[in-house]
């Protein structure tokens, strides 16, 4: 029975990794992870664990999948609220939790430290930690490259005519009298705010159209600073692959340093 479960989970992971690769491509190309990729992943994870529960007569696998999805989604949206993940990234992390709620034994090497951790549905925490550990050198390289080219690491200046839905301003954009200002603080608490750096949703479509119209009438800046977007789908996918192969990289590094 245990061998059958491992076979099923291996097949699930193969499908999950294939779909995760597609999310990498869509995130890198367009900065979006569509629901048509994340929702089937969640459904697949739940259906597989329903099957495991029915075949074993134990509802623990299904409950674990639900908990894993909840932890992944909650963790993802927590990062989303602080301006990190986009909504698609959060849903992708929840989908990984539904597919593989508990960390699997690594294919290479053995688990280190805290051997009881795999009994809890915390695979998404391991995925996120692994992804961030592996992303550090790439982020550092990108930062050095941007500085060498004289570009902003966190933000870039773009023409208002090129603004897109979802762009996050690096400064507060607000109405001041009959025009629009960027930077500083509104003179009044009742002033209309068009863009807030702390709002991870960014500009909506109507606001983009309004700002572009006002810029054409010289009532808004012709350029705005917007946050550089970082595709997190590859971070999540890399964290998943490394968890399958090596387990918890953070704990491995910690064990190596102790």
């Amino acid at each position: 029975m245990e061998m059958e479960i491992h076979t099923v989970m291996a097949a699930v992971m193969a499908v999950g990794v294939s779909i995760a690769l597609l999310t990498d491509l869509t995130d890198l190309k367009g900065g979006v992870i569509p629901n048509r990729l994340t929702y089937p992943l969640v459904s697949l994870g739940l259906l597989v664990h329903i099957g495991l529960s029915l075949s074993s007569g134990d509802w623990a696998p299904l409950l674990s999948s639900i908990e894993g999805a909840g932890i992944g989604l909650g963790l993802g949206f927590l990062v989303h609220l602080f301006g990190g993940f986009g909504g698609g990234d959060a849903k992708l992390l929840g989908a990984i939790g539904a597919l593989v709620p508990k960390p699997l034994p690594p294919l290479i090497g053995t688990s280190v430290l805290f051997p009881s951790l795999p009994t809890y549905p915390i695979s998404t925490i391991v995925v996120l930690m692994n992804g961030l550990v592996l992303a550090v050198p790439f982020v550092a390289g990108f930062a050095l490259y941007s500085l060498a080219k004289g570009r902003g690491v966190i933000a870039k200046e773009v023409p208002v005519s090129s603004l897109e839905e979802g762009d996050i301003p690096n400064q507060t954009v607000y109405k001041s009298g009959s025009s629009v200002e960027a930077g500083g603080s509104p003179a009044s608490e009742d002033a209309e705010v068009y863009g807030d750096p702390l709002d991870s949703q960014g500009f909506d479509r109507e606001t983009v159209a309004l700002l572009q119209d006002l810029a054409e009438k010289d009532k808004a800046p012709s350029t705005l600073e917007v946050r550089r977007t970082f595709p997190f789908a590859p971070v999540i996918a890399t964290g998943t692959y490394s968890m399958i192969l090596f387990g918890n990289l953070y704990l491995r590094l910690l064990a190596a340093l102790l």
Side-chain angles (χ1 to χ4, degrees), residues 44-240:
L44 175 64
L46 293 175
L47 286 173
V48 167
H49 285 85
I50 287 174
L52 291 175
S53 291
L54 291 175
S55 63
S56 64
D58 183 359
W59 290 107
L62 176 58
L63 292 176
S64 180
S65 179
I66 294 172
E67 290 171 349
I71 291 173
L73 197 61
L75 181 62
F77 273 106
L78 182 63
V79 179
H80 171 69
L81 289 175
F82 285 95
F85 281 3
D89 299 310
K91 284 178 276 190
L92 177 59
L93 199 60
I96 296 297
L99 276 168
V100 191
K102 298 178 181 180
L104 299 173
L107 297 178
I108 300 175
T110 57
S111 298
V112 293
L113 299 180
F114 311 115
S116 63
L117 284 181
T119 62
Y120 299 98
I122 58 165
S123 65
T124 50
I125 298 177
V126 176
V127 164
L128 189 57
M129 291 171 64
N130 280 11
L132 292 176
V133 167
L134 293 172
V136 166
F138 295 101
V139 173
F142 171 76
L144 291 174
Y145 175 79
S146 298
L147 290 173
K149 291 290 185 178
R151 302 172 183 169
V153 177
I154 298 176
K156 60 182 178 179
E157 192 168 352
V158 299
V160 171
S161 59
S162 299
L163 274 182
E164 296 181 357
E165 181 182 3
D167 280 344
I168 301 174
N170 196 45
Q171 301 170 310
T172 303
V173 181
Y174 55 93
K175 186 174 183 180
S176 177
S178 60
S179 61
V180 174
E181 298 288 341
S185 301
S188 169
E189 293 183 358
D190 298 327
E192 187 173 0
V193 176
Y194 297 117
D196 187 339
L198 298 179
D199 182 5
S200 59
Q201 299 291 339
F203 293 117
D204 58 31
R205 187 176 304 175
E206 291 75 16
T207 302
V208 169
L210 174 63
L211 291 175
Q212 290 174 341
D213 180 60
L214 291 173
E216 289 180 358
K217 299 175 181 177
D218 294 326
K219 292 185 177 181
S222 59
T223 62
L224 287 174
E225 283 190 5
V226 298
R227 297 280 179 86
R228 289 188 179 276
T229 57
F230 185 83
F232 276 100
V235 173
I236 296 173
T238 304
T240 304

